[in-house]
């Protein structure tokens, strides 16, 4: 799977929007962009995914750059419960090994009250 | 809605003892099921996956085994635990296997081997 680059940590104030960036300059045309998050001592939680178009769901929005070399996860109003490690990963739709999720180091989001 | 349950949440076992971790999924049929291990400060390692009852694929050679006796039940076992088996074990499910399919995780079992 192609590699992603994320900042190690970010801070946000409660009730403000948060934009979590992810660079994936070597993305291929068949790579899906997925976001998961993991709270301490819990399993990862699926957040959102997309291929080319921006996506919205009840948890977040995913903005994908036109050249697909970067994306941004948007939490519209951060709460204290959003404090977690956020992982941006690519999953190759053309690969037979798409069953495996491979996490990098992710971004530790701290939400300040 | 679909839910996934794992138990126990924490487990402390002596070296050489047996292991059985259970995972069940509710609210869906024919899920694809996965067992992962997450070592401290490291990423996920896929141990096993299953596309149906009795169908188990192993991703890495190891001291563990998996079984799927029912459609929504996935069990991780060992006959004799090693110190290196310590870690955070996660069960997950997906509707299908594929790059556009999210995986949904349980809360995990933290296993410590003494």
């Amino acid at each position: 799977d192609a590699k992603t680059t994320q900042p190690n940590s970010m801070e946000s104030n409660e009730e403000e929007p948060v934009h979590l960036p992810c660079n994936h300059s070597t993305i291929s045309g068949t790579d899906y962009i997925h976001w998961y998050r993991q709270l301490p001592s819990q399993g990862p939680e699926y957040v959102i995914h997309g291929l080319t178009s921006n996506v919205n769901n009840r948890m977040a929005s995913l903005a994908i750059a036109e050249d697909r070399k970067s994306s941004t996860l948007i939490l519209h109003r951060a709460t204290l419960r959003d404090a977690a490690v956020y992982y941006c990963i690519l999953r190759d739709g053309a690969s037979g090994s798409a069953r495996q999720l491979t996490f990098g180091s992710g971004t530790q989001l701290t939400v300040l009250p | 809605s679909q839910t996934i349950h794992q138990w126990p949440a924490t487990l402390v076992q002596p070296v050489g003892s047996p292991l059985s971790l259970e995972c069940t999924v509710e609210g869906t049929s024919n899920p694809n099921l996965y067992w992962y291990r997450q070592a401290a400060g490291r990423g996920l390692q896929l141990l096993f996956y299953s596309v149906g009852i009795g169908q188990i694929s192993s991703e890495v050679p190891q001291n563990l085994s998996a079984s799927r006796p029912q459609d929504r039940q996935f069990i991780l076992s060992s006959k004799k635990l090693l110190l290196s088996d310590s870690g955070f074990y996660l069960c997950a499910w997906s509707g299908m296997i594929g790059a556009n399919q999210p995986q949904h995780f349980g809360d995990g079992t933290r296993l410590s081997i003494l």
Side-chain angles (χ1 to χ4, degrees), chain B:
Chain B
S1 63
Q2 302 89 357
T3 56
I4 180 168
H5 303 281
Q6 271 188 258
W7 65 92
T10 59
L11 189 60
V12 180
Q13 292 282 98
V15 170
S17 64
L19 174 74
S20 181
L21 302 180
E22 190 162 340
C23 170
T24 59
V25 180
E26 296 177 357
T28 186
S29 298
N30 304 314
N32 293 289
L33 297 172
Y34 311 81
W35 277 111
Y36 287 89
R37 178 169 56 209
Q38 187 174 36
R42 299 171 71 176
L44 294 176
Q45 180 185 35
L46 180 62
L47 302 175
F48 301 95
Y49 72 95
S50 171
V51 299
I53 296 174
Q55 301 179 62
I56 308 296
S57 296
S58 174
E59 289 293 298
V60 294
Q62 58 198 301
N63 181 42
L64 302 169
S65 62
S67 61
R68 184 170 177 175
Q70 300 180 43
D71 180 45
R72 289 169 287 178
Q73 184 184 29
F74 206 21
I75 298 171
L76 184 68
S77 304
S78 173
K79 292 182 180 178
K80 276 188 173 184
L81 286 167
L82 307 172
L83 281 174
S84 58
D85 291 325
S86 291
F88 191 42
Y89 287 84
L90 292 156
C91 181
W93 74 271
S94 68
M96 295 172 62
I97 288 181
N100 64 339
Q101 295 294 317
Q103 293 182 16
H104 304 280
F105 289 80
D107 285 336
T109 295
R110 191 161 302 282
L111 175 64
S112 299
I113 310 299
L114 303 179

Side-chain angles (χ1 to χ4, degrees), chain A residues 42-53:
Chain A
Q42 293 189 22
E45 179 184 21
Y46 164 77
V47 178
I48 200 167
H49 78 281
L51 184 61
T52 56
S53 303

